[in-house]
Amino acid sequence: QVQLVESGGGLVQPGGSLRLSCAASGSIFSSYTMGWFRQAPGKLREAVAGIDGGGSTNYADSVKGRFTISRDNVKNTVYLQMSSLKPEDTAVYYCNAARWTGSELENYWGQGTQVTVSS
């Protein structure tokens, strides 16, 4: 079992920055691929960024060059640094932890944190 707790959301003006954090507990953090997803009102949840245990990253095209995902395997925390924020980045952001055990996919979600980009 993995418990995920996000923090760092809030209201920011267009062009501003925010850093989201996701603290994990309950299992071997470094064995999980960690990801950030977001869901805007009336839209499906979408992947934003992911980072595997070795530090390899992937980003959605819509956030490339603006968002940076990182992890600290000592603090069991994954971060999402968001810069040059746009109103269309407004959404609830969710942290995800996933790993394949060999027989099943373990998949965990945090409760979400609201990010609102507005002037």
Side-chain angles (χ1 to χ4, degrees), residues 16-65:
S17 298
L18 276 177
R19 189 177 81 155
L20 306 183
S21 300
C22 173
S25 62
S27 191
I28 304 173
F29 178 73
S30 60
S31 67
Y32 288 84
T33 291
M34 302 300 297
W36 287 97
F37 291 72
R38 66 186 181 187
Q39 188 166 18
K43 295 188 176 181
L44 296 175
R45 189 172 297 188
E46 63 176 359
V48 174
I51 184 168
D52 67 17
S56 296
T57 59
N58 284 285
Y59 298 92
D61 287 343
S62 60
V63 306
K64 280 181 182 176

Side-chain angles (χ1 to χ4, degrees), residues 28-113:
I28 304 173
F29 178 73
S30 60
S31 67
Y32 288 84
T33 291
M34 302 300 297
W36 287 97
F37 291 72
R38 66 186 181 187
Q39 188 166 18
K43 295 188 176 181
L44 296 175
R45 189 172 297 188
E46 63 176 359
V48 174
I51 184 168
D52 67 17
S56 296
T57 59
N58 284 285
Y59 298 92
D61 287 343
S62 60
V63 306
K64 280 181 182 176
R66 301 188 298 121
F67 290 12
T68 302
I69 188 171
S70 61
R71 67 190 296 162
D72 185 330
N73 289 336
V74 174
K75 294 183 178 179
N76 287 4
T77 302
V78 62
Y79 305 97
L80 185 68
Q81 178 67 49
M82 305 184 292
S83 303
S84 301
L85 283 161
K86 305 175 182 179
E88 51 263 44
D89 294 317
T90 295
V92 177
Y93 283 70
Y94 296 91
C95 179
N96 174 267
R99 71 175 181 180
W100 179 250
T101 67
S103 59
E104 64 179 1
L105 178 67
E106 289 185 23
N107 196 31
Y108 302 96
W109 295 93
Q111 82 287 352
T113 186

